[in-house]
Amino acid sequence: MGFRATVLTLYPEMFPGPLGASLAGEGLRKGLWSLETHQIRDHGIGRHRNVDDNPAGGGAGMVLRCDVLAAAIDAAVPAGDARPRLLMSPRGRRLDQSFVRDLVAGDGAVIVCGRFEGVDERVIEGRGLTEVSIGDYILSGGEMAAMVVLDACVRLIPGVMGKEASGTEESFESGLLEYPHYTRPREWEGRGLPEALLSGDHARIARWRREQAEAITRERRPDLWAAHKG
Ligand code: SAH
């Protein structure tokens, strides 16, 4: 069945959004992956379909109700569906390429998009949600974060990227940042191309790229460099 994404959100109209364009969108139309959205508010309480309430203990903002979110999850995800259930959350495990690879190796993901101050803690436990963050900053909602997760996954699905290799030389894949790229023209505003790239010597080119990747990683991301050196 391929990679199936099920997204729970208060703003289903945001999807597919950018995921409907370019290679991800073509992949969607070709059925290389699928995207289903569910409106959490359909499970809201009462005539006004309320989904949020004041935080227990007081304080600013509103919290997504656990009963509402659980009902939405139960309606959207059949019992026995083994896909990971992610909750977009700044407190979560930081998204990285190895997590993306793990997701793509499976059948897809259920992604819950938070809003307001967040969600009632009890539903995280009660429905086995894994909190995932896309970085150390606060968004207004989980929808764009979910799109980031899905975009990173979808481009690795076989067929989506066409003949561009599924990115084994990409930044992070080898534990290093990528080497610099160049293309035509051969000279631009007085800047030429690195010697090695003009040499036609494949071993030399590979060596140059490796050295560049190492130098850039050492300089820009000492954390990655330390892990790489292990
Ligand atoms: N009060 C929360 C932030 C709520 S932001 C806190 O301080 O941690 C509202 C929603 O946006 C969150 O529930 C989450 O779903 C989403 N969100 C915000 N920042 C995010 C991030 N960095 N990564 C993933 N999701 C995020």
Side-chain angles (χ1 to χ4, degrees):
M1 270 287 277
F3 187 93
R4 290 182 303 124
T6 299
V7 175
L8 285 84
T9 168
L10 288 166
Y11 300 95
E13 67 274 20
M14 287 189 182
F15 293 86
L19 298 172
S22 192
L23 296 176
E26 274 167 46
L28 192 55
R29 286 184 287 278
K30 283 190 206 151
L32 297 175
W33 67 291
S34 71
L35 174 65
E36 212 178 79
T37 53
H38 293 265
Q39 171 58 277
I40 295 169
R41 194 171 297 283
D42 290 348
H43 304 273
I45 308 287
R47 200 160 58 85
H48 296 293
R49 299 248 169 250
N50 287 329
V51 297
D52 56 328
D53 212 327
N54 300 308
M62 299 297 269
V63 177
L64 248 168
R65 289 177 59 126
C66 50
D67 51 353
V68 170
L69 198 48
I73 294 170
D74 295 344
V77 185
D81 188 322
R83 286 175 297 164
R85 299 164 173 201
L86 313 181
L87 170 66
M88 302 321 301
S89 159
R91 300 187 317 187
R93 165 180 176 176
R94 185 104 61 89
L95 186 70
D96 63 16
Q97 194 65 12
S98 82
F99 187 62
V100 169
R101 287 249 174 231
D102 289 347
L103 280 178
V104 175
D107 299 326
V110 176
I111 305 184
V112 178
C113 303
R115 278 275 157 179
F116 320 115
E117 287 306 318
V119 312
D120 186 312
E121 189 73 18
R122 293 170 292 180
V123 72
I124 300 177
E125 245 178 69
R127 290 298 179 273
L129 305 181
T130 301
E131 292 177 79
V132 176
S133 166
I134 63 160
D136 293 344
Y137 40 79
I138 305 297
L139 304 168
S140 52
E143 288 75 14
M144 292 200 211
M147 289 177 201
V148 167
V149 171
L150 291 175
D151 185 75
C153 288
V154 164
R155 61 186 292 285
L156 296 179
I157 295 169
V160 168
M161 294 262 291
K163 63 176 167 26
E164 279 174 68
S166 73
T168 41
E169 275 190 44
E170 223 104 41
S171 288
F172 309 118
E173 290 291 356
S174 61
L176 295 173
L177 300 178
E178 201 177 49
Y179 52 81
H181 297 292
Y182 297 89
T183 181
R184 279 192 261 276
R186 183 156 169 168
E187 179 136 343
W188 177 74
E189 296 190 351
R191 295 161 204 266
L193 295 175
E195 268 276 324
L197 300 184
L198 299 170
S199 68
D201 175 344
H202 294 296
R204 182 173 166 208
I205 293 169
R207 207 178 333 113
W208 181 86
R209 286 181 169 162
R210 176 87 195 173
E211 286 161 7
Q212 291 289 315
E214 291 183 355
I216 289 169
T217 307
R218 212 179 312 126
E219 183 186 310
R220 298 188 188 178
R221 290 293 301 275
D223 57 323
L224 286 181
W225 180 245
H228 177 74
K229 298 287 282 179

